[in-house]
Amino acid sequence: MSGRVVLQDIVKVYRSGGGLFRGKTSVRAVDHVDIMLEPGETLGIVGESGSGKSTLGRIAAGIESPTSGHVSLDGRSYARIGSAAWRRERRGVQMIFQNPSKALDPRMTIGAQIGEAMQAHGLSDMQGRKARMEEMLALVGLPGMGGRYSHQLSGGQQQRAVIARALVLEPRVVVCDEAVSALDVSVQAQIINLLNDLKARFGIGYLFISHDLGVVRHISDRIAVMQKGVIVETGRAAEIFANPKHDYTRSLLAAVPAATPAERRARERRIA
Ligand SMILES: Nc1ncnc2c1ncn2[C@@H]1O[C@H](COP(=O)(O)OP(=O)(O)OP(=O)(O)O)[C@@H](O)[C@H]1O
Ligand SMILES: [Mg+2]
């Protein structure tokens, strides 16, 4: 298993309304999107609020089905949501959200939650699970903290616990939806470093969704820019920053300070 996720011609339409005086309305959250996540690659998805990033992320993670289009991991189409095959598949593609305190169960220790995730996927016996749980916690920078409850952890530590619970299943791909957006800037950097370390160690691929281009640039190999459900531009991260092709990308970039003097000069040349 290598971890290539292919989304082909994905459309997602949400229908709502239909009251007495209102006609049915529909929103095309994702509109004919094609993207491929290469094994071990970080693909950043950026775009303004409502552009369809989270919808696309949920479809890539297999927790929501597209209205039309095709999704596969390593050449195998995603199984029907809720089926036994689908439950098995979920191990390979994990998802991490913005708010770790909501993702964790306040009544269980974080160690027990990591153990439960392993048990749900039939991984090892009780002894093996405990050893693995401790190993994972050490790896994410929470050594010996398995006995803690989420309210006894900081926001950054909670997100580390969420990452440990996802990674203990040895996924090939992790979809991170605004995974650092709720954290302080210094903590954001620590979590990004952790995600990069884990990627180098295990060859995990990330679909890294954020409205914050400044964050995305520090983690992404490639970036896809989304606007109103459509991918308007994709490219190597450095290339997008140095030479954005689309007006919408330029407007997003304008809000982010240049990272290097060379980049600043390149931008000034474009404006001139
Ligand atoms: N479950 C849903 N039911 C109806 N409409 C939805 C649903 N989820 C998303 N939408 C609509 O689809 C569009 C895309 O939403 P989505 O959450 O994917 O955007 P986003 O890029 O993640 O935005 P944000 O940056 O604010 O998180 C929006 O118009 C939203 O209102
Ligand atoms: Mg979102």
Side-chain angles (χ1 to χ4, degrees):
M1 201 161 69
S2 59
R4 177 178 286 106
V5 177
V6 180
L7 289 98
Q8 282 170 297
D9 203 19
I10 299 297
V11 174
K12 182 72 191 191
V13 178
Y14 291 113
R15 287 180 216 294
S16 58
L20 192 51
F21 300 108
R22 287 171 292 132
K24 275 207 169 73
T25 54
S26 62
V27 178
R28 221 168 240 273
V30 178
D31 197 2
H32 297 285
V33 164
D34 290 284
I35 51 170
M36 186 185 321
L37 179 72
E38 297 287 352
E41 170 186 57
T42 301
L43 175 62
I45 308 276
V46 295
E48 67 198 354
S49 183
S51 56
K53 306 181 298 294
S54 294
T55 305
L56 191 65
R58 290 192 300 269
I59 291 169
I63 59 174
E64 186 165 328
S65 51
T67 305
S68 65
H70 186 253
V71 194
S72 65
L73 173 64
D74 293 328
R76 285 183 54 175
S77 303
Y78 281 17
R80 188 175 49 78
I81 290 182
S83 66
W86 171 81
R87 265 187 286 278
R88 279 194 301 278
E89 275 171 21
R90 299 284 54 77
R91 194 183 150 190
V93 189
Q94 293 289 306
M95 189 153 183
I96 295 173
F97 296 95
Q98 177 164 0
N99 193 333
S101 66
K102 276 196 202 147
L104 295 168
D105 185 336
R107 297 158 305 179
M108 277 171 89
T109 64
I110 57 170
Q113 290 176 70
I114 294 170
E116 190 183 60
M118 281 186 276
Q119 197 176 9
H121 285 275
L123 301 180
S124 50
D125 56 18
M126 188 100 103
Q127 284 304 314
R129 281 202 292 274
K130 187 162 190 308
R132 204 58 196 110
M133 178 269 283
E134 279 168 0
E135 189 189 337
M136 263 336 290
L137 282 173
L139 209 57
V140 299
L142 300 174
M145 295 197 193
R148 297 227 193 158
Y149 291 88
S150 56
H151 72 268
Q152 298 171 312
L153 300 173
S154 70
Q157 288 174 327
Q158 288 173 350
Q159 199 60 304
R160 288 173 190 271
V162 168
I163 292 169
R165 189 181 59 186
L167 288 198
V168 79
L169 300 175
E170 301 176 354
R172 303 310 306 145
V173 175
V174 181
V175 176
C176 304
D177 188 356
E178 305 284 0
V180 302
S181 303
L183 305 173
D184 291 347
V185 172
S186 62
V187 181
Q188 285 187 347
Q190 290 168 13
I191 298 293
I192 286 172
N193 288 340
L194 172 65
L195 290 171
N196 276 334
D197 288 349
L198 295 168
K199 168 177 153 170
R201 204 176 171 117
F202 301 117
I204 309 165
Y206 296 118
L207 196 65
F208 193 89
I209 297 166
S210 177
H211 65 279
D212 185 343
L213 257 175
V215 166
V216 166
R217 76 171 317 167
H218 287 297
I219 193 163
S220 303
D221 301 304
R222 277 191 310 135
I223 292 176
V225 181
M226 227 176 152
Q227 181 187 28
K228 295 184 184 146
V230 175
I231 305 271
V232 294
E233 181 164 0
T234 52
R236 310 290 312 166
E239 182 59 22
I240 293 258
F241 273 84
N243 190 20
K245 301 266 185 307
H246 199 281
D247 284 345
Y248 178 68
T249 311
R250 290 200 193 108
S251 69
L252 286 180
L253 276 177
V256 184
T260 62
E263 189 178 299
R264 183 170 48 75
R265 282 193 294 276
R267 285 195 197 183
E268 282 163 1
R269 272 198 301 279
R270 271 202 311 278
I271 294 163

